[in-house]
Amino acid sequence: MLWWKEAKLGLFIHWGVYAIPGGEWSGNQEKHPFLGAEWMMAYRKIPVAEYRKLAQQFHPAKFDAGSWVLAAKNAGMKYIVLTAKHHDGFALFDSAVSDFDVVDATPFKRDIVKELAEACQKHGMKLGLYYSQAQDWTHRGGAVSSFVKPWDESHAGNFDEYVDQVAVPQVKEILGKYGPIAVIWWDTPQDMTPEIAAKFQTALTAQPGIIQNSRLINSTPGDFRVFEGDVPVGGVPGTPWEVCVMMNGSWGYSRVHHEWASSTKLIRQLIHTASLGGNYLLNVGPDADGAFPPEAVERLAQIGDWMRANGEAIYGTSGFPMKKLWQQGRITQKPGKLFACVFLWPSDGKLTIPVLAGVKSVVLLAQPDKPLPFTMDDAGIVVEVGRGMPDPRATVLVLEIEGKATAAGFLPALDADVSGAFDLLAAYAVPVGADPSKPAVIVGKREGTSPPLTGDPAEGFKLGGFATPQERAAWRIRVPKAGQYRVVAYAGLNKGMPGDATIQVHAAGQTLQKVLPVTGDSQTFRPLEIGTLSFDAPGEHEVAVSLDLKGAATSGGQIWRVQLLPQSPSK
Ligand code: JFZ
């Protein structure tokens, strides 16, 4: 699976007859992330006979396999994973064991898997197929997630018969009829036993080099582990893994979901994933006409634009996990080289990379002929990168190194951004005070939440659990010159919390305090002016934050970020 480890970036395609309702069913807009799209049948408990009729409307006149493959290729993607059959049982290929497939049940009558396989062959793209081996809501006996419960008489059928008569034969079809298939992507291993799993394994012999994910049966790991949406904290050392990610809050096409992630966020997520050694499988849900949504097309083009210039920092690299998450960027490596992918450019042009290594040279990936001056000490590598960030999405520095590089055990103080401001995000705070072995200040909404990459409130991680104002969360910052900063905190307070709860910001011997207004709940953050901090001298300072909830429930107040905005332009 060497090709897969080097590939790093792939395209996930969720497509089926559910693209026709596209998030709307009998006049209702369904906003649930997956129930509202490819799970619509289960969510709305649509009877099998009624759901099957959707196929009669499936006529994707704009479908062109070649343009899909080229969109992926131009985005720098090395493989595609298409839902050959999702839980609704509709097959995007001509199946001899079912008539609920694109050739038998639709007026379109073209074998999508065949056309995509041919286009992939033509353009040198690896093809993987997603196959829902256990859940199948339209074939008698197929499993139905305990999450939704059976709703149709046919769900009472026999699972073994479904496996023998539909699922295993269909897996043989997709692996036997369409040339090389590089990946099989199983999903939701409900009701799988080792005996049943073995039947699927036997079917794989048709494709000697095929690799499979970890979702055939819970007890076996497969060739690579999969995660959804959230990049696992610290990666999965020693195990190949992949994270699949939606662009807009839905896998299957949905005209209801418009939460399109910015291309910068997607690019940074890819970098973050690579820095932890994983693969990034980015999803598109084509519409009922067979077209990628324009927002997806635009994002794929942006990713491709970045990858064409910076692919060397991603393809074929290994991860370089940091001991503590570095807010200003992420690092990947190849033998003899480190790639520092910078998200936050220092306002004074001096970047500290928290890595200990014998560095021979540093250049911008985009300007390999211009060596950048640098110094090394036990705080890391300080590079004179100059002012102004060349690529605001992420700018890559290439460090040529000798011997082994290790991540520094502590973080460098955070630099001001190009506007001179400091953005202190919860995810990058360090708890201080109280009992350091069990910090009362929790960083993180839940384990596994992806860290913020662009400062978007949806990106998890808040500070909470402030039992007393002695518990604090702190950041170290590097102030470029003496001056005053306006302090704005984003905090939330539940209804019913004491009206005199306060937030404190402590720095340079000053404590600012403000009454915290109720925002409705602790996860609804509003900017609050806290006051003005002055730093008499440039250099490193600690900024800490605390909440005084007047003895009320510690879960009632949370902080997401604190911003220090320069009072007068610092240039
Ligand atoms: C599954 C599917 O049900 C969904 O429709 C989509 O195809 C997605 C990629 O995969 O959804 C899952 C499966 C597993 C988990 C969560 C959602 N999980 O393990 O957390």
Side-chain angles (χ1 to χ4, degrees), residues 376-401:
M376 288 181 276
D377 61 27
D378 49 8
I381 303 154
V382 183
V383 185
E384 308 257 349
V385 293
R387 283 175 193 243
M389 185 167 183
D391 185 336
R393 298 168 295 187
T395 296
V396 179
L397 298 172
V398 187
L399 286 68
E400 207 193 327
I401 57 164

Side-chain angles (χ1 to χ4, degrees), residues 34-382:
F34 59 89
L35 290 180
E38 74 278 5
W39 279 65
M40 183 67 87
M41 181 184 181
Y43 193 36
R44 286 273 140 205
K45 302 208 178 305
I46 303 167
V48 171
E50 186 185 345
Y51 189 80
R52 287 175 63 114
K53 285 194 197 134
L54 270 180
Q56 294 165 14
Q57 296 171 53
F58 190 74
H59 200 285
K62 293 189 188 143
F63 172 69
D64 171 26
S67 71
W68 283 13
V69 175
L70 286 176
K73 192 170 180 173
N74 291 335
M77 292 160 161
K78 302 293 188 188
Y79 60 109
I80 292 178
V81 178
L82 171 72
T83 51
K85 186 199 83 173
H86 207 271
H87 310 327
D88 65 354
F90 178 73
L92 287 176
F93 55 96
D94 187 15
S95 173
V97 297
S98 168
D99 56 9
F100 193 41
D101 70 52
V102 65
V103 173
D104 299 331
T106 79
F108 192 59
K109 298 200 181 307
R110 280 160 54 187
D111 186 323
I112 304 286
V113 172
K114 178 166 180 278
E115 292 187 23
L116 191 66
E118 285 166 4
C120 284
Q121 279 289 311
K122 180 171 167 198
H123 297 294
M125 178 70 63
K126 300 267 189 192
L127 177 62
L129 295 174
Y130 169 113
Y131 186 84
S132 177
Q133 79 280 15
Q135 282 202 79
D136 188 316
W137 307 324
T138 51
H139 291 97
R140 197 168 185 81
V144 175
S145 167
S146 47
F147 191 61
V148 285
K149 312 265 175 4
W151 64 91
D152 190 281
E153 173 279 324
S154 74
H155 298 154
N158 181 293
F159 185 60
D160 288 285
E161 280 173 21
Y162 153 77
V163 167
D164 291 339
Q165 290 164 21
V166 180
V168 170
Q170 285 197 331
V171 171
K172 287 186 177 153
E173 289 178 326
I174 58 177
L175 300 185
K177 294 203 304 187
Y178 302 107
I181 302 298
V183 177
I184 181 115
W185 218 97
W186 312 110
D187 206 3
T188 63
Q190 163 138 354
D191 300 342
M192 297 296 288
T193 62
E195 295 69 38
I196 292 173
K199 294 181 182 179
F200 286 104
Q201 286 304 319
T202 310
L204 297 193
T205 50
Q207 294 281 344
I210 199 166
I211 58 177
Q212 56 182 325
N213 74 354
S214 49
R215 286 189 182 164
L216 177 60
I217 175 168
N218 284 325
S219 54
T220 52
D223 297 306
F224 62 95
R225 280 190 61 182
V226 288
F227 297 87
E228 235 154 281
D230 292 335
V231 181
V233 172
V236 196
T239 302
W241 61 275
E242 176 184 76
V243 60
C244 53
V245 174
M246 326 179 205
M247 288 192 194
N248 66 324
S250 176
W251 298 108
Y253 175 73
S254 169
R255 63 188 109 245
V256 177
H257 278 279
H258 304 290
E259 310 90 78
W260 293 92
S262 68
S263 48
T264 295
K265 177 165 170 181
L266 299 173
I267 289 164
R268 292 180 180 188
Q269 230 171 23
L270 160 66
I271 295 168
H272 175 63
T273 303
S275 80
L276 296 171
N279 276 19
Y280 189 72
L281 187 65
L282 184 61
N283 183 74
V284 170
D287 66 19
D289 286 334
F292 289 2
E295 295 90 343
V297 171
E298 185 190 314
R299 281 156 183 77
L300 291 176
Q302 280 279 331
I303 293 167
D305 179 67
W306 190 86
M307 284 297 274
R308 266 185 294 283
N310 299 288
E312 199 190 331
I314 303 291
Y315 301 124
T317 59
S318 329
F320 190 88
M322 306 305 287
K323 295 215 173 77
K324 295 216 168 77
L325 216 46
W326 180 38
Q327 185 170 348
Q328 292 189 230
R330 298 292 184 275
I331 296 169
T332 61
Q333 61 177 326
K334 279 181 192 160
K337 274 184 186 176
L338 296 178
F339 300 93
C341 306
V342 183
F343 302 162
L344 193 141
W345 204 254
S347 63
D348 65 356
K350 279 195 189 55
L351 179 73
T352 303
I353 302 171
V355 168
L356 309 178
V359 178
K360 294 196 280 187
S361 70
V362 184
V363 293
L364 285 174
L365 181 55
Q367 259 184 298
D369 304 330
K370 191 176 160 235
L372 300 173
F374 65 93
T375 56
M376 288 181 276
D377 61 27
D378 49 8
I381 303 154
V382 183

Side-chain angles (χ1 to χ4, degrees), residues 412-423:
L414 179 70
D415 285 309
D417 67 19
V418 285
S419 73
F422 292 95
D423 195 8

